[in-house]
Amino acid sequence: MAERSTAAVDVADNSGNEPLAAKADEATTDGTAEAQDAADTGSQEENDEKAASKTFPAAPDLHSGHKLAGRYRLEECVTRLDGFSSWRAVDEKLRRAVGVHLLPADHPRARSVLAAARSSALLGDPRFVQVLDAVEEDELVYVVHEWLPDATELTALLSTGPMDAHDAYQLVSQISQAMAAAHREGLAHLRLTPGAVLRSSSGQYRIRGLAVNAALRGITSDGPQRADTEAIGALLYAALTQRWPYESDAYGLTGLPKGMGLLPPDQVRAGVHRGLSEIAMRALANDGATASRQEQPCTTPDELAKAVAAMPRIPPPEPVFTAPPEYQRTTYQQGTYGRPAAAGPAVTQPVVPVPPAPLQSRTGKALKWAVSALLIAALGLGSWQLAETLLDRDNKSSDPGTTRTSPDGEKRGPKQTTPRVLPVHTASEFYPDGSPQDTDGVESTYDKDRTSFWRTKTYYDGPVLAPFKKGVGIIYDLGSPQNVSGASIALRYGGDHTAISLYAVDSMAPVESISSLKKIATSETSSTLAKPRAESPVKSRYVLLWLTAVPHADGDQYSGAGYKQGITDVSFLGTSPQ
C-alpha cells in the first residue's frame, strides 16, 4: 500500500538538480522574468534573499471539509508553496479520491496553470495521471486530478535499492514512449523527478504533473525536449545505481563524488547492464559519451524510445528456487520410538523376504484378467443400449409429423425453437469507473457497416485489463424482453487474446456490480470473430457486452501500438418469449 506522498503531486520538492537544459523563469506581475537557480543548492541566506524578492498572493486560507463546486471536499493539505496549495480531496459525486491544486485567481501563474491543465486533459493518455477538471470561480483557480492510492513513487522504490535490469528497462521504455507521445502533442513536463513517476501494482509506470507541475513552479525551457530527455536519463541512472547523476544529493539519493565528472553507471556499481548504462549516458547531457564507444546523444524522448526499442529485450529474472531441507531420518521412523537403547553393539537382523501380495501369484493374475474382461463386456453392452435409446429418441423428436395441441384441442405445427437475429433498438457505453472509451462510436457496433467501429483506449499492460481497469463494455436495448441465447461479435483486431462476456441487466444504467449480474455466455478468441453461446437462453431486454481482455495490436491512424480492441458489428441471437 502506498504512503500518503505517493499520490501527491511533487510540486514542493526543492531538492536535486533540474535538468541542465532547462531554465526556471518565473513571470512577475510587471512582465519581467527572474531566473531561478536550477539546482536549488545555494546557501540558506541566498535562498532567503531570493524568497524575499518574490512576492505572491497568499495561498487560499481553506480548511479540511471545505467544498469546491459543491462536490470536491478537501481532506488534507499536502503542499503549501509560492502562493498555491495542494490537497487530497474526495469527489462526493463519484465517491472517489482526487487531488486538487488551489491558487488565487490573481496569482501571476494562474493563467499558465489553467492553460497547462486544460492542454494536459486533452491528451487523454492513460500513461499520465489524468487532469479531471480545471476551473476558475469565486476568485479561485483549482485543478482536479486523479489520486492513485495503490501506486508507489519511484522515490520509495529506489530507497530500497537499485532496480534489476528488467525493471530498469521497463522504466525507461515506458517513460520515454509516454513523453514522446506528449511532445508530439506539444506538451512538456520539465519537472520529471523520481517523485513524478508512479508504478502501479500491475507494473505499469504513470507520470503525474505533465505541464501542470512546471506551470505551478513557473518553470520554462528553451529546449523542452532535451530537458525531458535528460530527466529520463537521470531516472534510469538512479534506477541502475541508486545514485543521483550529479554531485549534490537529491530525492533521498547520494550524488556522485565531487570532481569525478559523470561516470557511467557500470563504473559506479558492479553488475549493471551494459546496454542500459550506455542508454543512460546517451540521454544525459554529456555529448553522448558512453562506456565503450562514442554514440550520438539522444536529444528527444522519441530518439530515446527508439534507442531503447533497438536493444535486445531484457527478460525478467528467473524465479529463485529454494531447495527443500535435506531429508532427516528420525528414531521414530526407524521403529525405536519409546524403546531403551541397546547396551551392546547393534546386531544386524536377518532380512526376511516379503511374500508377494495375494494377487501377484499365477492364480491372482488369472482372476484379475477375468474380472477385467467382464468389466469390458459390461461397459460395451451398456454403451450399446444407451446409443440405441438415444437414436430412438432422436428419431421420435425429428419426426416431421410431430404436432402440438392447443388448450382448445386444435392441432398445430411443430414449435419453432430456432434462434433468430434480435434487433437492437439503442445502445450506450457502460463505464462504472467514470472513464469512458468511445461514447460516440457505440452506434457503429450495430449499424451493419463493418467499416465503422467502436474502439477502446490503448493500454500498455495486458491482455487482461485488470487490475488497471476491470473491463469496458456496451449495454444494448433489444426493445422488449427476449430469450437471448448468444451473439456474433465482429472484432477489429485479432491476437492473443480477447475475452468477452454477456450479462443480463435490468436497465441501461445498472447499479449492481458485475459479479452480481446474471451471466448469459462467455467467449475467448484470438481471431476477429467471437461467438459466445449460452447453455440455456436467458430472458432479458437489456444485454451488457463486457470485455475483460484485449490483444496487442500495432499502431494505426486512430491510436498507437498497445493492448486494444474495436467492435465493428454485433448481432444477438435468441427467440421471442411464447
Side-chain angles (χ1 to χ4, degrees):
M1 182 61 68
E3 299 177 354
R4 183 191 73 183
S5 62
T6 63
V9 172
D10 177 26
V11 293
D13 190 357
N14 289 321
S15 64
N17 291 7
E18 294 289 349
L20 301 181
K23 296 180 181 179
D25 295 334
E26 296 185 354
T28 58
T29 54
D30 58 0
T32 62
E34 299 178 355
Q36 180 184 5
D37 183 4
D40 288 337
T41 56
S43 65
Q44 183 64 41
E45 292 79 5
E46 292 173 343
N47 291 336
D48 292 341
E49 290 176 2
K50 290 178 182 179
S53 65
K54 303 170 187 175
T55 58
F56 298 101
D61 186 15
L62 303 177
H63 55 81
S64 299
H66 183 88
K67 287 187 182 180
L68 300 172
R71 62 182 291 186
Y72 303 117
R73 186 181 73 249
L74 303 182
E75 293 287 327
E76 179 184 10
C77 183
V78 295
T79 300
R80 195 177 295 274
L81 177 73
D82 288 354
F84 71 86
S85 60
S86 298
W87 294 75
R88 176 176 61 83
V90 174
D91 183 351
E92 293 186 335
K93 183 176 180 179
L94 297 179
R95 297 182 180 179
R96 62 179 177 180
V98 294
V100 178
H101 300 307
L102 280 166
L103 65 164
D106 58 350
H107 195 288
R109 301 173 188 165
R111 301 297 100 196
S112 60
V113 169
L114 273 177
R118 289 166 179 170
S119 298
S120 178
L122 292 175
L123 182 61
D125 193 318
R127 293 171 291 189
F128 295 91
V129 174
Q130 299 295 300
V131 172
L132 305 175
D133 210 349
V135 181
E136 178 182 2
E137 65 177 10
D138 297 334
E139 300 183 353
L140 283 178
V141 168
Y142 59 88
V143 176
V144 183
H145 61 86
E146 285 183 297
W147 186 275
L148 307 176
D150 63 337
T152 306
E153 274 187 9
L154 183 59
T155 307
L157 296 174
L158 295 180
S159 67
T160 62
M163 292 183 174
D164 60 46
H166 173 73
D167 288 341
Y169 173 82
Q170 291 295 325
L171 169 70
V172 68
S173 176
Q174 295 184 32
I175 297 301
S176 60
Q177 290 178 17
M179 289 309 305
H183 279 281
R184 284 194 291 269
E185 300 298 328
L187 293 172
H189 197 290
L190 304 182
R191 189 62 183 167
L192 197 55
T193 66
V197 177
L198 306 174
R199 186 171 73 177
S200 67
S201 57
S202 62
Q204 182 179 13
Y205 289 93
R206 300 188 67 182
I207 303 172
R208 62 185 174 193
L210 178 66
V212 177
N213 275 12
L216 285 167
R217 298 178 65 88
I219 297 175
T220 60
S221 174
D222 294 333
Q225 295 209 52
R226 185 69 189 91
D228 283 342
T229 305
E230 183 181 348
I232 300 173
L235 295 178
L236 176 59
Y237 195 104
L240 294 172
T241 64
Q242 204 186 13
R243 300 286 291 267
W244 194 238
Y246 305 101
E247 292 184 352
S248 59
D249 300 344
Y251 312 109
L253 302 173
T254 305
L256 297 179
K258 297 185 182 299
M260 297 293 292
L262 182 60
L263 299 173
D266 54 357
Q267 294 183 18
V268 175
R269 173 177 166 264
V272 171
H273 190 279
R274 188 63 175 270
L276 291 176
S277 176
E278 294 182 355
I279 289 292
M281 296 298 286
R282 292 176 64 185
L284 290 167
N286 67 330
D287 298 328
T290 64
S292 62
R293 62 183 182 273
Q294 294 294 324
E295 292 278 3
Q296 289 297 322
C298 298
T299 59
T300 68
D302 187 60
E303 291 179 358
L304 182 59
K306 291 179 179 178
V308 175
M311 292 178 54
R313 186 175 181 87
I314 301 176
E318 294 291 336
V320 178
F321 174 74
T322 304
E326 187 176 349
Y327 179 72
Q328 300 288 337
R329 291 190 62 86
T330 65
T331 56
Y332 175 77
Q333 292 167 328
Q334 294 173 355
T336 61
Y337 180 76
R339 299 178 183 177
V347 178
T348 303
Q349 299 292 330
V351 178
V352 179
V354 180
L359 293 182
Q360 295 298 324
S361 62
R362 183 177 301 176
T363 304
K365 291 182 179 179
L367 181 60
K368 286 194 297 183
W369 281 109
V371 172
S372 300
L374 289 175
L375 288 175
I376 293 173
L379 288 174
L381 180 61
S383 301
W384 177 77
Q385 292 178 341
L386 178 61
E388 186 177 27
T389 303
L390 292 176
L391 288 173
D392 291 342
R393 184 182 301 172
D394 290 341
N395 291 334
K396 293 179 181 179
S397 61
S398 60
D399 184 2
T402 302
T403 59
R404 55 193 180 98
T405 305
S406 63
D408 57 3
E410 180 183 357
K411 291 187 177 181
R412 298 177 181 174
K415 183 178 180 180
Q416 179 67 31
T417 59
T418 303
R420 60 180 179 82
V421 176
L422 302 175
V424 175
H425 286 244
T426 186
S428 65
E429 190 170 325
F430 179 62
Y431 45 97
D433 59 356
S435 178
Q437 305 293 300
D438 181 18
T439 55
D440 295 335
V442 172
E443 189 174 350
S444 300
T445 63
Y446 60 96
D447 60 358
K448 306 305 179 184
D449 181 4
R450 290 294 181 96
T451 62
S452 62
F453 59 93
W454 168 88
R455 59 189 177 92
T456 70
K457 293 181 179 179
T458 304
Y459 298 92
Y460 297 89
D461 194 7
V464 178
L465 297 177
F468 180 73
K469 200 172 187 67
K470 293 183 179 180
V472 295
I474 302 173
I475 295 179
Y476 293 89
D477 180 5
L478 304 181
S480 62
Q482 304 289 334
N483 292 328
V484 183
S485 58
S488 178
I489 304 166
L491 306 172
R492 180 169 176 81
Y493 306 108
D496 185 18
H497 62 276
T498 301
I500 301 178
S501 296
L502 302 180
Y503 292 93
V505 293
D506 58 1
S507 67
M508 295 294 287
V511 296
E512 299 90 346
S513 62
I514 296 295
S515 59
S516 64
L517 297 176
K518 171 69 174 178
K519 181 179 287 188
I520 300 174
T522 187
S523 175
E524 186 173 303
T525 182
S526 296
S527 68
T528 56
L529 182 64
K531 292 185 176 182
R533 293 291 185 268
E535 293 184 1
S536 59
V538 176
K539 184 177 180 180
S540 180
R541 172 177 175 175
Y542 305 98
V543 179
L544 168 61
L545 188 155
W546 189 242
L547 285 84
T548 54
V550 295
H552 190 279
D554 296 332
D556 52 27
Q557 59 180 324
Y558 303 103
S559 58
Y563 291 92
K564 57 185 178 179
Q565 188 54 278
I567 298 177
T568 62
D569 190 62
V570 175
S571 298
F572 292 100
L573 303 176
T575 59
S576 300
Q578 298 297 324

